[in-house]
């Protein structure tokens, strides 16, 4: 990757069978049921887009939503700039699970992460269990944005990712300063590391001299 | 003809040299001119008598010395006068400063006596001189100096004439010896001139304070005229002096600027490295070649690196550059660093990783300078020191061909990759032989071995997806992780394993989309079935010794998936698996245990029941015996109390018994009797004879008779 291209890590969370992977497949390859292409990259997705003259590289990390793997989430979402929490509008338990993920992300990563709550399967409106107003109210209360999508009908997905990327860019405009300081921090870290070396080296080399 | 010419030349030279000197020198000229005329000399001597100051004498002596030195210079330049004359003159010159030194140091009679002796010798040598004044010391000194100079020329003249009379061979030998003496005398003359300079600069004598400035250029002028061998040594001395000046400036600059510590340590490292270089020169390349060959062979066999940053060709070029004589120090520093870590067994893996990272951070700019001629980006003091070293050693090295046309960041990545691979591959055994890692690996293997019987359904995977061939191929691919020794190669292996997994999944018919919901369980299942021997060590090695910023995003995802799978397996229990779909051996074994326990319980119950029955029987027997005894006692007591009543009652009972001969009635009675007995047992168990009534006694007698009848019937 070139220096001008910025990379954002987005983590995909939610209960199993709510359609997390279908949403990303629709966005990356505009595919819903092509099995051959789906298996080329399972779990990891990468897309290069251009917004406002800036070249952006989105890396989307899919996670396992089963309950037995809940404790392993931090390994995935550590160091990510965006999070997509997906629930099924026909399943109340998935919405409760999504709320738990939101709480965990807020406690672990603070406000630096851009949160999106996605109500998938909106093509099954007749069997909706969770009212849209309730979901939007909850999203507003936690500082996230709610989206209604349908991977099957390719509805609301493109807007979802564009908005998320813009929000991450805005955060990164603040983060750009951080990144600059980080780069300077890295240089200072290296300069700070330099005095540490001779102590350990001198300690190591004394036995070398003794051996010689 | 020749004889007349030589003294005239000598006299002319004297005149020429003495003209630019001061008035006193002019007076000396007058004396020299008047030497030929006795009358004029006497007049001059009278004038000198007026000036009786020792200082004047000393000054005149110094002037004479200078004159003589200048004469020597002109003689050398012209190369007209014979070497013999030069030798004589120089010997006299050598004598005179010595005498002057003695005069300066000691003004005793001994010195005067020595001077007188010299004068006497000169007088003996010089037959032509007729002036002999021994009365005045001052006059003697002055005359002695002038006469000695003239005598030197005359003696040289006579010696040359005598040499002409001798044979040619002797002359040649004398010339050779004279040449050697000439060289020696010139060398010693230089030394004594410097000595005279030192003595002249002594603070004890204030009269000489005005002269050092005058003497310094003469010394430099004299030193310039020294012959070739001394010039050669002189040039080296000059360079040493210049270096000394530079060192003083450098020390001042170094003291003024506070140098950072690692540069000093680098200096020490280089010194030690030089020592080790002398020792290890034949050994290092031998050690190098098999390692590099092994890495090349492994990588060529298994992996094809498409990434242009950090290819094997670039690494080979870097090693070749470091193996050159000018840059072997850096390679030796790497090897010594690695050996120190190997030898120090107290370090933990975390300490090793932190020290390796810090070492790479310090040496990275140096290698960038060596391999790609990139300037340093460090402190100013460090820059000055390094520039001085680089300038002293050699100009900037040309960049390597494989690194041409790349940006600084790309070169930094390549060199970082090289150092990481070089260090990690050589520390591999040190790291993997640690006891912590072995213990954790063994525990994990034992833990995984308990779950070898599981099926895909326990992880909610369809059986159709995974086959034995599927598992075998993935196991084969995963085992290569332990073969490679650098973290980068291990990551390439993990990536290749996942790509193979995706290919195999694409061949099978999948019911739904393949995402992390399906990927992670499959990875967990494959790791359980393969049961890698060093799973935990490999993941730790990669996470500690690989710079996370250099890991590709996709490969990082695969690594994280492996880490999550391993952590799940480490904390896995049977409860975390789904038992309802397909029961496995552990649930069956548990059910069998329960059944066995239930059987045991039943057996125990049966035993308990048997015991209860036995107890009941025993209780019945015990209860019957005391009743019989009681009845007998009561019977006896009743007889004693009332014999008549008993007899009457007996008669009645006999009648009753005779009347009741019917079998049916007997059966009923027996049944009733048994009932009555039971009732009576309940009533009369604890009763006493006094408490019984007559009616009760009758009942008891009836019962007794019935029992007796039964007894006899059985017999």
């Amino acid at each position: 990757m070139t220096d001008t291209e910025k990379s954002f890590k987005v983590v995909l969370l939610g209960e199993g069978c709510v359609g997390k992977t279908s949403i990303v497949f629709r966005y990356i390859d505009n595919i819903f049921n092509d099995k051959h292409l789906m298996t080329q990259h399972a779990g990891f997705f990468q897309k290069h887009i251009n917004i406002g003259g800036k070249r952006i590289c989105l890396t989307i990390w899919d996670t396992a939503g089963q309950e037995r793997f809940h404790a392993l989430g931090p390994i995935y979402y550590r160091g990510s700039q965006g999070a997509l929490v997906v629930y099924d509008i026909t399943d109340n338990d998935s919405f409760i699970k999504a709320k738990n993920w939101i709480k965990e992300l807020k406690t672990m990563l603070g406000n630096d992460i851009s949160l999106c709550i996605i109500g998938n399967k909106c093509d099954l409106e007749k069997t909706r269990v969770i009212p849209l107003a309730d979901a939007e109210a909850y999203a507003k209360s936690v500082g996230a944005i709610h989206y209604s999508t349908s991977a099957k009908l390719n509805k609301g997905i493109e807007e979802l990712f564009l908005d998320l990327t813009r929000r991450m860019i805005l955060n990164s405009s603040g983060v750009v300063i951080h990144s600059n300081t980080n780069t300077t921090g890295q240089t200072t870290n290296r300069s700070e590391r330099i005095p540490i070396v001779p102590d350990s080296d001198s300690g190591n080399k004394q036995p070398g001299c003794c051996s010689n | 003809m020749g004889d007349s010419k030589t003294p005239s030349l000598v006299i002319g030279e004297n005149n020429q040299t003495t003209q630019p000197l001061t008035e006193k020198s002019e007076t000396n000229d007058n004396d020299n001119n008047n030497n030929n005329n006795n009358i004029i000399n006497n007049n001059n001597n009278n004038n000198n008598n007026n000036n009786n100051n020792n200082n004047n004498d000393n000054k005149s002596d110094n002037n004479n010395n200078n004159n003589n030195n200048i004469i020597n210079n002109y003689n050398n330049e012209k190369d007209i006068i014979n070497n013999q004359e030069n030798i004589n003159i120089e010997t006299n010159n050598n004598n005179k400063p010595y005498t002057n030194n003695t005069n300066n140091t000691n003004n005793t009679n001994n010195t005067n006596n020595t001077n007188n002796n010299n004068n006497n010798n000169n007088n003996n040598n010089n037959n032509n001189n007729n002036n002999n004044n021994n009365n005045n010391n001052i006059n003697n000194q002055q005359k002695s100096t002038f006469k000695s100079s003239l005598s030197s020329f005359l003696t040289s003249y006579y010696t040359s004439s005598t040499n002409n009379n001798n044979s040619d061979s002797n002359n040649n030998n004398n010339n050779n010896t004279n040449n050697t003496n000439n060289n020696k005398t010139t060398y010693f003359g230089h030394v004594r001139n410097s000595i005279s300079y030192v003595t002249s600069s002594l603070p004890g004598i204030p009269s000489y304070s005005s002269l050092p400035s005058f003497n310094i250029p003469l010394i430099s002028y004299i030193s310039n005229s020294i012959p070739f061998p001394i010039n050669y040594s002189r040039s080296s001395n000059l360079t040493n002096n210049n270096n000394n000046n530079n060192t003083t400036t450098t020390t001042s600059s170094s003291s003024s600027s506070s140098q950072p510590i690692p540069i000093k340590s680098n200096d020490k490292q280089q010194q030690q490295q030089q020592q080790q270089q002398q020792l290890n020169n034949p050994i290092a390349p031998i050690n190098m070649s098999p390692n590099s060959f092994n890495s090349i062979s492994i990588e060529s066999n298994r992996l094809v690196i498409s990434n242009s940053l950090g290819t094997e060709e670039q690494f080979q070029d870097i090693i070749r550059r470091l193996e050159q004589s000018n840059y072997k120090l850096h390679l030796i520093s790497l090897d010594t660093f690695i050996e120190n870590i190997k030898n120090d067994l107290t370090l933990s893996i975390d300490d090793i990783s932190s020290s390796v990272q810090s070492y790479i951070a310090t040496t990275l700019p140096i290698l960038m300078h060596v391999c790609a001629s990139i300037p340093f980006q460090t402190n100013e003091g460090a820059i000055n020191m390094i520039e001085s070293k680089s300038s002293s050693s050699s100009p900037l090295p040309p960049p390597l061909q494989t690194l041409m046309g790349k940006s600084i960041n790309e070169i930094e990545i390549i060199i970082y990759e090289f150092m990481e691979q070089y260090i990690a591959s050589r520390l591999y055994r040190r790291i993997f032989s640690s006891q912590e890692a072995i213990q954790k690996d063994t525990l994990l293997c034992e833990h995984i071995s308990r779950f070898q019987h599981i099926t895909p359904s326990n992880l909610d995977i369809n059986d159709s997806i995974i086959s034995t061939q599927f598992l075998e191929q993935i196991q084969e691919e995963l085992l290569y992780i332990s073969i490679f020794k650098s973290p980068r190669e291990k990551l390439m292996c993990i990536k290749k394993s996942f790509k193979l997994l995706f290919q195999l999944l694409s061949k099978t018919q999948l019911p739904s989309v393949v995402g992390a919901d399906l990927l992670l369980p499959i990875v967990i299942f494959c790791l359980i079935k393969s049961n890698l021997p060093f799973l935990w060590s490999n993941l730790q090695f990669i996470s500690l010794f690989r710079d996370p910023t250099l890991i590709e995003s996709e490969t990082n995802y695969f690594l994280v998936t492996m880490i999550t799978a391993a952590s799940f397996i480490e904390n896995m229990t049977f409860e975390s698996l789904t038992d309802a779909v397909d029961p496995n051996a552990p649930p069956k074994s548990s059910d069998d245990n329960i059944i066995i326990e239930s059987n045991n319980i039943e057996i125990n119950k049966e035993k308990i029941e048997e015991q209860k029955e036995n107890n009941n029987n025993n209780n019945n027997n015990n209860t019957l015996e005391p009743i019989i005894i009681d009845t007998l006692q009561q019977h006896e007591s009743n007889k004693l109390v009332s014999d008549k009543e008993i007899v009457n009652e007996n008669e009645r009972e006999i009648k009753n018994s005779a009347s009741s001969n019917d079998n049916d009635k007997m059966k009923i009675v027996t049944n009733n009797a048994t009932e009555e007995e039971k009732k009576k047992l309940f009533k009369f168990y604890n009763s006493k004879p006094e408490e019984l009534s007559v009616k009760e006694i009758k009942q008891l007698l009836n019962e007794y008779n019935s029992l007796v009848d039964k007894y006899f019937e059985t017999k």
Side-chain angles (χ1 to χ4, degrees), chain B residues 3-62:
Chain B
D3 293 334
S4 67
K5 289 181 180 178
T6 53
S8 67
L9 290 170
V10 170
I11 291 160
E13 289 176 354
N14 286 320
N15 289 321
Q16 290 178 358
T17 56
T18 55
Q19 286 177 358
L21 294 173
T22 60
E23 290 178 355
K24 291 180 181 178
S25 67
E26 288 177 355
T27 57
N28 290 319
D29 290 331
N30 290 320
D31 290 331
N32 289 319
N33 289 320
N34 290 319
N35 287 320
N36 292 320
N37 291 319
N38 290 321
I39 293 163
I40 293 164
N41 285 321
N42 289 320
N43 289 323
N44 288 323
N45 288 321
N46 289 322
N47 289 323
N48 288 321
N49 287 321
N50 291 323
N51 292 321
N52 291 323
N53 290 321
N54 290 319
N55 290 322
N56 290 320
D57 292 329
N58 290 319
K59 289 180 182 178
S60 64
D61 292 328
N62 288 319

Side-chain angles (χ1 to χ4, degrees), chain B residues 190 214 230 267 386 407 419 464 484 548 614:
Chain B
H190 179 68
F214 180 74
I230 295 163
D267 294 332
I386 292 160
S407 68
M419 292 180 74
S464 64
F484 291 105
N614 290 321

Side-chain angles (χ1 to χ4, degrees), chain A residues 18-27 29-33 38 86-87 118-124 148-158 160-161, chain B residues 513:
Chain A
V18 297
K20 301 193 294 297
T21 310
S22 299
I23 288 167
V24 181
F25 267 114
R26 175 64 69 182
Y27 176 63
D29 294 323
N30 195 9
I31 293 158
F32 185 72
N33 281 319
M38 284 175 180
V86 184
Y87 70 95
I118 297 164
N120 197 25
K121 299 185 182 179
C122 66
D123 52 313
L124 303 173
S148 296
T149 62
S150 173
K152 190 170 185 181
L153 301 177
N154 192 8
K155 181 179 178 182
I157 290 166
E158 192 73 20
L160 160 65
F161 282 97
Chain B
V513 173

Side-chain angles (χ1 to χ4, degrees), chain B residues 126-180:
Chain B
N126 293 317
N127 291 320
N128 291 324
N129 290 321
N130 291 320
N131 292 322
N132 289 320
N133 290 322
N134 291 321
N135 291 322
N136 290 321
N137 290 324
I138 295 164
N139 290 321
N140 288 322
Q141 289 178 358
Q142 290 177 355
K143 288 180 183 178
S144 67
T145 56
F146 295 126
K147 288 179 183 178
S148 65
S149 66
L150 291 170
S151 66
S152 67
F153 293 110
L154 292 170
T155 53
S156 66
Y157 176 75
Y158 287 115
T159 54
S160 66
S161 65
T162 56
N163 286 321
N164 288 321
N165 289 322
N166 288 324
S167 66
D168 291 334
S169 65
N170 289 322
N171 287 322
N172 289 321
N173 289 321
N174 289 320
N175 288 321
N176 290 321
T177 56
N178 290 321
N179 288 321
T180 56

